[in-house]
């Protein structure tokens, strides 16, 4: 082999290496985008976990309602007691008029979107007053 052929061979090898590196960088970018993008794997996994937790809470509420319809005393008040654990959901969820509602100040925009997809509405800042005692409690605030 003469020196001219060797230089050509080295040039082809370097060009092949550069093309391979560029292709690998493009593939890495596409993969990272697919994982972390707007509808990426990480977001979808977070959404699935969140929705599963909410559905579990709704199921426990339905079971309590069934028990109540069988004559047992049922109180909607304490969600912590109802779901049997203390976690972030005790902070963002509550019962209002027998329905599960969320506190719009304590959830992210994504969580608001997911909750509304599940037909769970934002908590209303309305305090119903049915008795004189309830009115007295509000007056003390």
């Amino acid at each position: 082999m003469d020196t001219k052929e060797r230089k050509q061979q080295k040039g082809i090898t370097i060009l092949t290496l550069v093309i391979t590196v560029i292709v690998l960088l493009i593939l890495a970018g596409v993969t990272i985008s697919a994982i972390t993008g707007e509808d990426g794997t990480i977001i979808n996994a977070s959404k699935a976990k969140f929705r599963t937790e909410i559905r579990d809470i709704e199921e426990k509420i339905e079971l309590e309602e069934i028990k109540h319809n069988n004559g047992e005393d049922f109180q909607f008040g304490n969600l912590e007691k109802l779901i049997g654990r203390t976690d972030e959901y005790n902070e963002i969820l509550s019962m209002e008029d027998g329905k599960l509602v969320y506190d719009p100040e304590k959830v992210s925009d994504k969580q608001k979107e997911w909750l509304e997809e599940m037909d769970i509405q934002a908590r209303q800042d309305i305090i119903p007053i049915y008795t004189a005692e309830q009115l007295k409690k509000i007056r003390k605030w």
Side-chain angles (χ1 to χ4, degrees):
M1 247 195 249
D2 64 350
T3 56
K4 191 175 181 181
E5 280 183 31
R6 278 190 214 164
K7 283 184 181 181
Q8 262 186 335
Q9 210 172 22
K10 281 184 181 180
I12 291 173
T13 305
I14 290 175
L15 183 62
T16 305
L17 177 64
V18 168
I19 291 172
T20 304
V21 168
I22 290 171
V23 168
L24 288 173
L25 287 172
I26 291 170
L27 289 174
V30 168
T31 303
I32 290 170
S33 175
I35 290 173
T36 61
E38 184 68 27
D39 286 329
T41 307
I42 293 173
I43 296 292
N44 285 335
S46 296
K47 180 179 180 179
K49 178 186 181 284
F50 184 79
R51 290 175 64 109
T52 301
E53 293 288 342
I54 300 299
R55 291 294 183 219
D56 181 51
I57 291 168
E58 287 180 325
E59 204 171 281
K60 288 180 179 179
I61 291 169
E62 286 176 24
L63 288 172
E64 285 298 319
E65 287 174 333
I66 290 169
K67 286 180 189 176
H68 176 64
N69 290 335
N70 290 333
E72 292 181 29
D73 190 26
F74 178 53
Q75 299 293 322
F76 273 118
N78 192 341
L79 193 60
E80 180 182 340
K81 226 182 229 183
L82 183 65
I83 63 177
R85 63 176 196 251
T86 305
D87 55 23
E88 68 178 292
Y89 300 103
N90 294 86
E91 296 292 320
I92 65 172
L93 298 173
S94 61
M95 296 298 297
E96 189 174 278
D97 295 328
K99 292 182 179 180
L100 194 61
V101 294
Y102 70 91
D103 185 343
E105 295 174 8
K106 295 184 179 179
V107 295
S108 69
D109 289 338
K110 274 291 182 201
Q111 289 174 330
K112 278 182 191 177
E113 180 184 318
W114 298 340
L115 286 162
E116 287 173 7
E117 282 176 11
M118 299 169 70
D119 289 328
I120 297 174
Q121 302 302 312
R123 183 189 75 211
Q124 302 297 316
D125 287 332
I126 299 171
I127 303 171
I129 302 170
Y130 301 110
T131 66
E133 289 176 26
Q134 290 173 330
L135 183 59
K136 286 178 187 176
K137 285 181 184 177
I138 290 174
R139 214 177 336 172
K140 289 180 184 177
W141 285 345

